[in-house]
Amino acid sequence: GLAYGSAELSAWNVALYAEDTLSVTDRLDVVLGGQYMAAARDAEHKTAALVLDQDYDAFVPRFGLLYAATPGMDVFFNLSRSFEAPTFDEIVIDQPMPAGRGISFARLDAQTATTAEIGARGEWRRVRWEAAFYQSWVRDELLQTTDGLGNSTTRNYGKTDHRGIELGAEAGLWRAKSGSEISLRGMYTLSDFSFANGLYDGRQIAGVPRHV
């Protein structure tokens, strides 16, 4: 098709990570970690006087507990932060202009979240299983909306909550002497994502399947 916009885009990402596991007792381990993340998203329109340079950085810590409840089952708890800089798919906007279509740039904040997770995993005979519940308190979530004409725009939404249940199991059906195995695996995810403030407070976020 006919080109209606041209831009020079430049990006970089840097991540520094450290983690250590401390054995408090024979059955309890403590996991401490942290990651420093930095990113840049620079955009320059080639035909219009439009330049948008955006820099992001954050320190995201992690704390975890792993407890061997029985010889065949571990119980775990994780508390962590997360950080997500926007991509150019979200920054560059394809939109209608007075003389036709064109492109512009969106100034966006990075999406951050605090997530707590508790669960258990284990093995019984030939069955390996895992179950977990998580809750994420998200700030400035990057959400894409589309109008009636099909024009998409990404915006930051102040506060959202993500919570859910994850279940998984794998059963070994047959194992050869060479180590090859035939197994049956199943997974189930319950996702409950909702807005936590503003105009849509309490409403579900569209586009996220509740049951998978």
Side-chain angles (χ1 to χ4, degrees):
L2 181 65
Y4 54 81
S6 178
E8 181 176 337
L9 308 175
S10 175
W12 56 261
N13 300 279
V14 173
L16 302 174
Y17 181 75
E19 182 178 286
D20 193 17
T21 300
L22 308 175
S23 295
V24 179
T25 69
D26 292 341
R27 302 172 67 179
L28 178 63
D29 291 339
V30 176
V31 180
L32 299 173
Q35 185 174 25
Y36 173 76
M37 305 175 69
R41 303 288 185 265
D42 301 334
E44 180 180 357
H45 203 296
K46 303 300 289 185
T47 57
L50 179 60
V51 176
L52 181 60
D53 295 341
Q54 302 181 88
D55 298 320
Y56 309 92
D57 73 297
F59 176 74
V60 288
R62 181 190 174 216
F63 169 78
L65 297 173
L66 180 63
Y67 179 69
T70 69
M73 183 180 74
D74 293 331
V75 178
F76 59 87
F77 170 78
N78 293 308
L79 181 64
S80 61
R81 291 277 295 166
S82 62
F83 165 88
E84 179 183 341
T87 67
F88 284 123
D89 286 340
E90 296 158 331
I91 293 172
V92 179
I93 303 172
D94 173 3
Q95 63 182 18
M97 298 289 188
R101 299 197 69 83
I103 60 172
S104 63
F105 307 136
R107 184 176 295 278
L108 297 170
D109 294 326
Q111 174 180 309
T112 60
T114 299
T115 301
E117 179 187 30
I118 187 169
R121 64 173 68 94
E123 185 171 350
W124 180 74
R125 295 184 179 179
R126 289 190 171 186
V127 178
R128 295 182 292 272
W129 58 272
E130 182 170 344
F133 169 81
Y134 69 90
Q135 167 76 49
S136 293
W137 297 270
V138 186
R139 298 296 178 265
D140 296 318
E141 181 167 1
L142 295 162
L143 292 176
Q144 185 180 79
T145 58
T146 304
D147 63 20
L149 299 177
N151 301 305
S152 298
T153 304
T154 298
R155 296 182 176 89
N156 291 111
Y157 193 92
K159 298 179 181 180
T160 56
D161 288 339
H162 297 186
R163 66 183 63 86
I165 297 173
E166 298 175 343
L167 305 174
E170 182 177 6
L173 303 179
W174 177 81
R175 181 188 295 271
K177 293 181 179 180
S178 63
S180 300
E181 183 181 35
I182 297 177
S183 61
L184 180 65
R185 179 181 299 176
M187 298 186 68
Y188 168 75
T189 301
L190 170 66
S191 300
D192 180 15
F193 293 6
S194 61
F195 297 99
N197 75 327
L199 180 63
Y200 305 109
D201 187 15
R203 297 185 183 181
Q204 294 294 306
I205 299 176
V208 180
R210 187 173 178 84
H211 303 280
V212 177

